[in-house]
Amino acid sequence: MEHAAIARQRIQNQLVGAEKGADPAAVVRWMGAMQAQDYGQVVWAVGLRTQVPSRLAVEQAVADKTVVLTWLMRGTIHFASAEDTMWLVKLFGPRLLAAAGTRRKQLELDQGVINQSKALFYEALHGGQPLTRSALMQLLEQAGIRTNGQRGYHLLWSLALEGFLCFGPRQATEQTFVLLEEWVPNARNLSREESLAELAARYFTSHGPATLHDFAGWLGLPVAEARQGLEAIHASLSAEKTAGKTLWMPATPTIASPIARLYLLPGFDEYFLGYKDRSAVVATEYLHKICPRQNGVFKPMVVVDGQIAGTWSRKINKSSIDFTANFFLQTQVTQQEVTEAAEQYCHFWGLPLGSVTLHESHPGSAAQSG
């Protein structure tokens, strides 16, 4: 398959194109899980994939307990469907906790401290009362448990991967925490084999065309375990070999065309991070444009005809949002196309669009257009 064909199918299968999810919970379930360490970015990642994009609808899905925010694959924060959260934690948690043993020793967090923290949190959270991170940290300090030097964060991370805690609804700008079993009491319970098969089905349906190594990288698990999941469901997929690699995708590919040439995707979006090999959507020489400092912080992306052609930023004012798009690929994008995409984003946040500025930095370009 050519890169253009791969990108076109991924746009459709990821619900970025014409086909959208019915609501935030449907989107998250379709995607398997969605990377979410930047809350402001992930709500847009979900919103742009829904039939009626709305920030309030995404946040209401969290408050309604249909979408859960917690640490999952690769030890990073993800959105997951409420019914999937418990088996996802059980799949990823033990391996991640075992790998963090050295870090716990460095932080002087032995099992006694972890158990004491767990008891304090249970007493405070039992009954469904969310508490902010700062309130939980204060509880620890009052009990003589230091939270400095990443100790507090690691305790929350560890207890979440044990299946004890998860994030609750936001209070103003601060995250809260709740007891996972109280928050999602009717969660599904799958065996490890069933979990790998379920995730393989979700991943290749929503992220395909993709390779086994893409799937393993997304999971953060060894290739052998990813292969186990793929082998369990490969008969329901279609495969195509290209450049010595086997790409797996839905057996019945989506044929609808994207509704627009240009999309404004958030940073940390699955369209970029969901793959080990990203060459179908961005050339290697431009990767540093998306993650300039090589520190795991990814800029929001402008996608044109399936290719990541630039990055974008916005400034939220009291009464409007100003946009700047920086293109590193030469395109025939017009000011109007960027404006229309920016207006969709502004509608999602409930503010009108202010200014739209385009910059071009590819060879031979003018310093600025528009």
Side-chain angles (χ1 to χ4, degrees), residues 146-312:
R146 293 184 291 108
T147 61
N148 62 318
Q150 291 292 304
R151 281 169 55 92
Y153 178 89
H154 194 88
L155 279 168
L156 293 173
W157 180 86
S158 298
L159 294 178
L161 288 171
E162 283 187 19
F164 180 71
L165 295 176
C166 68
F167 290 95
R170 291 170 71 88
Q171 290 185 7
T173 60
E174 192 172 1
Q175 293 285 6
T176 67
F177 288 84
V178 293
L179 298 177
L180 180 59
E181 286 192 351
E182 289 188 350
W183 199 245
V184 287
N186 300 315
R188 297 170 68 196
N189 185 26
L190 303 181
S191 68
R192 189 169 189 84
E193 293 74 19
E194 290 170 332
S195 298
L196 290 170
E198 182 76 14
L199 278 178
R202 302 270 191 96
Y203 177 81
F204 289 107
T205 301
S206 64
H207 289 67
T211 67
L212 170 64
H213 285 81
D214 288 325
F215 180 44
W218 182 75
L219 292 173
L221 295 176
V223 173
E225 293 194 53
R227 182 179 288 111
Q228 181 181 348
L230 174 58
E231 288 179 347
I233 57 94
H234 76 275
S236 65
L237 302 174
S238 175
E240 185 168 333
K241 290 191 176 181
T242 180
K245 299 177 181 179
T246 301
L247 290 167
W248 298 89
M249 64 205 82
T252 305
T254 304
I255 60 175
S257 299
I259 59 173
R261 286 184 61 220
L262 182 147
Y263 301 97
L264 296 177
L265 301 188
F268 302 97
D269 194 81
E270 290 291 315
Y271 191 71
F272 180 77
L273 291 187
Y275 307 90
K276 194 80 171 176
D277 179 1
R278 296 154 182 161
S279 59
V281 299
V282 62
T284 303
E285 61 263 34
Y286 297 118
L287 291 175
H288 72 283
K289 297 283 190 179
I290 301 168
C291 185
R293 298 183 180 180
Q294 301 297 302
N295 59 354
V297 177
F298 300 90
K299 288 189 172 185
M301 298 161 287
V302 184
V303 174
V304 180
D305 294 328
Q307 296 298 301
I308 300 173
T311 61
W312 61 274

Side-chain angles (χ1 to χ4, degrees), residues 96-110 114 146-155 157-158:
L96 291 164
L97 290 171
T102 299
R103 181 56 177 158
R104 280 196 297 277
K105 289 181 180 178
Q106 292 172 344
L107 293 172
E108 299 179 343
L109 292 173
D110 58 26
I114 293 173
R146 293 184 291 108
T147 61
N148 62 318
Q150 291 292 304
R151 281 169 55 92
Y153 178 89
H154 194 88
L155 279 168
W157 180 86
S158 298

Side-chain angles (χ1 to χ4, degrees), residues 20 74 79 94 96 133 142 145 192 204 221 223 225 232 256 267 280 340 370:
K20 303 288 186 179
R74 306 183 306 280
F79 265 156
L96 291 164
R133 181 191 300 240
Q142 290 172 346
I145 299 174
R192 189 169 189 84
F204 289 107
L221 295 176
V223 173
E225 293 194 53
E340 289 176 0

Side-chain angles (χ1 to χ4, degrees), residues 66-77:
T66 60
V67 171
V68 174
L69 187 69
T70 193
W71 286 274
L72 292 172
M73 53 271 283
R74 306 183 306 280
T76 59
I77 300 173

